[in-house]
Structures are given as C-alpha cells and as structure tokens.
Amino acid sequence: MATKYGNEKKDRLKHLISAETANVMSGILESSMPTILKVSLWQIGLPWQVDERRIDDTMLWAVYSGRFVCRTDDGEFQLEPGNLLFVPAGRMHAFRFADGCSSGKVFIVHMLYPLFQGNHLPGSCACSMFSIEHSDYFFSALMRAVAMCNFRQEEALRYARDTLRQMFIELAASGQIDAVEKVENADPRIGAALHFLRMHFSENIGVPEIAAAVNLHDVQFRVIFLKATGISPYQYLLRYRLQKAVVKLINTTMPLEELAPACGFRSSNHFCQTFRKHFNISPIEYRRRWSEL
C-alpha cells in the first residue's frame, strides 16, 4: 500500500491472538496478583531430595536447568528447563532429580493468593504445570529480582509480582490459561468495598465502617459480600490483616509491638492469639522458620 512515505502498510497482527484470548489477557491485567513473599534461585546437586510436605503458601517452581520429578496430590510432573509448576497452599508435594540428572538450578517463588479466587489463575486451585515460551526473558527478570532483594527487598518483590503477571499473560497468549473472572465484577459495590478495606485495613475499622463507605446498611452489606465472595466481610478483613502481617514477619525485623497496629490489630497480644489460632504457630516461630529458608 502506497502512503506519502512510500510502499508501507500497518500490520494489525489480528492473526496473533483471538478475541477470547484478548479477554483472558485483559482479565489478568485487571486481576489482583498474589502477594510475593520470597523469590530465590537455588543451585541443586546430589545428594538432594524433598520428602513429602505441605506448606502454608502457594509455591512456584521455575526450572532454569536440570530435570526434576515432582509428586503431588494431583499427579506426577516431569519438569524440564522452561517448565513452571504451581503448587497451591496445603497441597502435598515431593521433589527429586529425574533419572540421569544430578544437578540443576530452580527459581522458587513463595506467594499468597487473594483470599477468594474468582479468577482461576495458576496455583489457585490445583497443582499445574506450564511451559513458558520466552523463558530466557522471564528468568532474566527473576534473576534481577533475586539480586535486587539484597538491597531493596520491598521493591524487588513488587518487581517479581509484575514479572509473574507478565508470565500469566504469556501463558494466556499461548492458550495455556483460558479463563479469568474477577469477583469484583459481580457487583461494583464489592469492588468499592474491597478498595476501601485495602486502603484502611490498618485503621480501627470493622464491617459497619466498610458498609458505610459503599452506602449500604450493615446487614445488607454482609449478605451481598458473602454472596459475591463466599466469605463474610469480617473474615475477609481478618485474613487480609493476617496476610499483611505475614509479609512483614517474613521481610522485616519489625517488633511485634509495632507490627500488630500496623496491620490493624489492637495489641501485640491480640495479634499473637489471632495468628496462632489461624496458623497453629506463634508469629515469632513463623518468622524464625522463614529466616532459615
């Protein structure tokens, strides 16, 4: 096609993705991403194996080199370079080298998913394996995130979260993710309530204050929230505060006397009692365990 500059035409690349894939990619861009707890690169050699275990967070295994076998509640996975394996919280898993392999490198990302999963992102329900097409690009980004953790950990974890979002988009573009649904879309008042809660969780707020922020009566709000999310607004607020506390326990040395009010708990004693009730472990012991990883 001739233009004033010569023989040129615009290529809209309509063949590259379908309308359905574009919708999935859009949903990923609008969805809440998991909170990244840690990102690390491990060099592994014999003797090595991970016996059966369950952990409290979702784990991503991204194989940089080597070959591995992972046995889970959802079956056995053969992992090769470029493979991603998501293991949801509470799922049994065990790792070993594949036959004939004695060394390898693996990125491990620990994360907490949003409290209710309407979007069906990898790792939210069952163990799932994917093959990433442009693995060099994503692994380079994860390397930078690992290195950045030595100096600016909070920013490094945000960078890792953004990299994870790009990974999800890549998986959607290759047809490996085929459905994303946002819970907030069910009722705009739920989205507004969640935004208010996330902005003010550290303050002295409860369900009445959240309901008032979206112009609903307390009882009406509880019914609408439970129907949309499957969890009561009180439980969501409590678990959201606990998630924020977990991130601070792992990534800071903040004393519990400061951490508790920063996460919306009225005292360190109240925080410790609530934490132990939900995790069956004290905050101090939880912090110590993560410091050994």
Side-chain angles (χ1 to χ4, degrees):
M1 178 185 296
T3 71
K4 66 178 181 179
Y5 301 111
N7 183 18
E8 61 180 12
K9 66 176 181 179
K10 184 185 295 183
D11 191 342
R12 296 184 180 276
L13 301 176
K14 284 189 174 182
H15 65 283
L16 198 59
I17 61 172
S18 65
E20 291 77 10
T21 298
N23 287 336
V24 176
M25 294 168 67
S26 175
I28 293 170
L29 289 169
E30 296 176 4
S31 292
S32 297
M33 285 291 104
T35 299
I36 306 300
L37 301 176
K38 274 188 180 293
V39 54
S40 53
L41 175 62
W42 293 83
Q43 300 187 47
I44 304 171
L46 290 175
W48 173 87
Q49 73 174 24
V50 178
D51 295 328
E52 287 188 9
R53 65 174 188 173
R54 301 176 191 270
I55 58 177
D56 298 328
D57 54 84
T58 294
M59 180 178 65
L60 164 63
W61 251 60
V63 181
Y64 182 79
S65 64
R67 294 179 295 109
F68 302 88
V69 177
C70 180
R71 182 167 47 84
T72 76
D73 287 331
D74 302 301
E76 188 171 277
F77 298 90
Q78 304 286 329
L79 303 171
E80 298 183 349
N83 285 166
L84 310 176
L85 178 68
F86 290 85
V87 181
R91 280 294 212 247
M92 185 281 294
H93 56 278
F95 288 94
R96 64 175 176 83
F97 280 117
D99 293 343
C101 184
S102 59
S103 65
K105 291 184 179 181
V106 177
F107 290 99
I108 299 180
V109 182
H110 291 275
M111 63 191 89
L112 292 175
Y113 265 81
L115 296 176
F116 48 77
Q117 256 336 106
N119 49 23
H120 310 297
L121 290 173
S124 62
C125 300
C127 296
S128 48
M129 188 179 78
F130 303 90
S131 295
I132 198 77
E133 184 175 353
H134 303 291
S135 59
D136 288 347
Y137 167 78
F138 292 108
F139 288 167
S140 293
L142 288 177
M143 283 183 180
R144 288 190 289 270
V146 170
M148 193 175 175
C149 282
N150 293 299
F151 308 101
R152 301 292 295 268
Q153 188 169 52
E154 184 176 344
E155 292 84 351
L157 296 180
R158 285 205 302 268
Y159 179 45
R161 182 191 61 197
D162 292 342
T163 300
L164 186 67
R165 188 189 297 274
Q166 291 298 320
M167 280 185 178
F168 288 162
I169 291 174
E170 175 72 20
L171 295 175
S174 63
Q176 297 182 73
I177 300 177
D178 58 8
V180 176
E181 176 187 356
K182 287 189 68 184
V183 170
E184 291 92 325
N185 287 343
D187 188 324
R189 294 170 295 184
I190 298 301
L194 291 174
H195 177 75
F196 177 84
L197 184 153
R198 292 163 184 165
M199 292 298 102
H200 300 279
F201 74 93
S202 63
E203 302 171 16
N204 185 25
I205 65 167
V207 176
E209 288 75 21
I210 303 171
V214 292
N215 299 315
L216 288 172
H217 293 297
D218 191 341
V219 174
Q220 182 187 18
F221 173 64
R222 292 174 190 270
V223 171
I224 292 174
F225 194 96
L226 180 62
K227 181 179 179 181
T229 68
I231 185 175
S232 74
Y234 169 77
Q235 285 295 322
Y236 184 95
L237 175 61
L238 177 61
R239 294 182 192 180
Y240 189 80
R241 284 169 167 165
L242 285 169
Q243 280 198 356
K244 291 297 183 181
V246 163
V247 174
K248 290 184 181 297
L249 281 172
I250 292 173
N251 295 305
T252 76
T253 58
M254 183 182 293
L256 298 188
E257 292 76 14
E258 297 177 17
L259 187 151
C263 296
F265 296 94
R266 62 177 179 266
S267 68
S268 58
N269 285 338
H270 176 225
F271 167 61
C272 289
Q273 291 171 2
T274 305
F275 193 94
R276 181 179 287 277
K277 180 179 178 181
H278 280 77
F279 294 103
N280 295 315
I281 189 174
S282 73
I284 296 298
E285 180 63 19
Y286 190 91
R287 172 178 272 169
R288 185 195 64 76
R289 187 179 68 183
W290 273 92
S291 69
E292 295 173 351
L293 291 179

